[in-house]
Amino acid sequence: MIRLKGQLLAIANEQRVAEIRQIRGDQVAASWGEQVRNYVLHPYKMIKDQRSGWESTNAQAFLDGDLEDCVASLLQYRAAAEREDATE
């Protein structure tokens, strides 16, 4: 009976770990070179999205919420990536 209880606990633990992994998804280390977007505010001002290649020198507007150009660039990048994946 104790052995069965131990096996059931092990199975429940494995299921919980699998559920947590599914919720978290793929994790990427936030190390040098793995950033999605770079913000440079001194000595010059520039914001660059590493995925789409979009960049702007109007950092203050971006930080104030003017994101339309960046989002549009990202959507174009994703659409191009999806088209490329569909042709493969």
Side-chain angles (χ1 to χ4, degrees):
M1 191 62 143
I2 294 173
R3 184 175 176 197
L4 179 61
K5 193 180 214 181
Q7 288 176 343
L8 289 175
L9 286 173
I11 292 170
N13 190 28
E14 288 175 11
Q15 289 174 345
R16 190 177 75 230
V17 168
E19 183 179 332
I20 290 171
R21 283 187 184 149
Q22 182 181 10
I23 291 170
R24 284 187 180 174
D26 294 332
Q27 291 185 349
V28 177
S31 61
W32 184 258
E34 298 292 331
Q35 296 89 359
V36 172
R37 195 171 296 118
N38 293 331
Y39 301 87
V40 178
L41 302 175
H42 184 75
Y44 57 93
K45 295 181 166 90
M46 186 173 85
I47 296 176
K48 182 173 183 178
D49 188 305
Q50 299 297 323
R51 297 167 293 188
S52 65
W54 174 86
E55 53 184 65
S56 174
T57 57
N58 193 355
Q60 190 59 47
F62 184 84
L63 294 173
D64 286 340
D66 185 17
L67 307 173
E68 287 84 18
D69 293 339
C70 181
V71 171
S73 175
L74 181 60
L75 291 174
Q76 289 174 352
Y77 168 76
R78 286 187 177 173
E82 287 178 7
R83 281 192 300 259
E84 185 177 306
D85 287 344
T87 59
E88 290 180 354

